[in-house]
Amino acid sequence: MADKANVTNVESLERFRSSLVIFVEKISVVLDEVSEEVKRTRVWLQSEQRMKLDHVMKRKQKELDMIQQELFTARMSNLANVKTGHKMKLNNKRREMREVEGKIRAVTTWLRNYDSTVETEARKVDKLRHFIDTDMIRALHFLAEAVKNLHAYSNPGQS
């Protein structure tokens, strides 16, 4: 049995450690972006998208009221060709309002299901974040110590 191990290539371990440091930095940035995007999406659903659709719905309702008033006026004046055009406008506006109502229902459904779908997946990101912040950092420290010890072992007089 040999009295001394033959340590010849500590540089490979140093390169691996350097690559691991770069990986940890990049993955941390990506995980931060994912977490922020999850938050932004919730805010978008809760406020921005809902307010926008409510505003569109109010505007469409005003337009519908105006078309109904014009149709009522046309009926009172007994203009058949005007009534047909107003009926078409009225039907189109009602269809547009149903579309907006469908979008509002979709946003409400997305928001209701947000915790069970998106947040469940976001927890996986949090677990990965914990792994990166604890285990990978410990691994980096271990590799640094291993490199230091191997250098000291292979060059005993230079320490």
Side-chain angles (χ1 to χ4, degrees):
M1 193 157 52
D3 291 341
K4 186 175 178 183
N6 187 12
V7 178
T8 59
N9 197 355
V10 179
E11 291 79 28
S12 295
L13 195 57
E14 290 173 332
R15 281 195 308 275
F16 174 69
R17 184 184 174 284
S18 297
S19 296
L20 192 57
V21 167
I22 292 169
F23 170 77
V24 167
E25 289 173 359
K26 286 182 179 181
I27 196 72
S28 292
V29 170
V30 170
L31 293 176
D32 289 343
E33 289 175 4
V34 169
S35 296
E36 287 302 314
E37 194 62 34
V38 167
K39 291 174 188 171
R40 277 194 298 272
T41 302
R42 179 183 286 281
V43 168
W44 179 78
L45 284 172
Q46 287 176 329
S47 58
E48 295 174 30
Q49 190 63 15
R50 183 59 192 229
M51 287 185 340
K52 175 187 166 199
L53 290 172
D54 286 344
H55 177 72
V56 169
M57 190 65 160
K58 286 178 185 176
R59 187 179 42 123
K60 298 269 184 210
Q61 184 62 49
K62 286 179 184 177
E63 293 170 359
L64 178 69
D65 292 344
M66 188 177 74
I67 292 171
Q68 285 175 331
Q69 185 60 40
E70 290 172 359
L71 180 62
F72 179 74
T73 304
R75 283 185 182 157
M76 297 303 283
S77 65
N78 204 15
L79 300 171
N81 61 347
V82 174
K83 285 194 290 189
T84 304
H86 280 76
K87 284 181 182 178
M88 286 175 52
K89 285 181 185 177
L90 185 65
N91 289 334
N92 286 339
K93 196 55 66 180
R94 285 181 177 156
R95 180 184 43 75
E96 289 173 8
M97 286 184 67
R98 283 192 302 272
E99 289 174 4
V100 173
E101 287 170 348
K103 290 178 182 178
I104 290 172
R105 279 192 301 277
V107 167
T108 303
T109 301
W110 294 340
L111 194 55
R112 185 177 4 171
N113 296 331
Y114 195 82
D115 287 334
S116 63
T117 53
V118 176
E119 290 294 334
T120 301
E121 297 300 316
R123 279 195 232 47
K124 293 177 184 176
V125 172
D126 291 339
K127 287 179 184 178
L128 182 58
R129 160 67 70 197
H130 178 72
F131 172 75
I132 295 295
D133 289 346
T134 57
D135 294 347
M136 293 302 274
I137 298 303
R138 274 191 245 143
L140 288 170
H141 290 300
F142 174 81
L143 286 171
E145 283 297 312
V147 167
K148 184 176 103 178
N149 290 337
L150 286 172
H151 275 300
Y153 180 77
S154 63
N155 303 321
Q158 295 179 358
S159 294

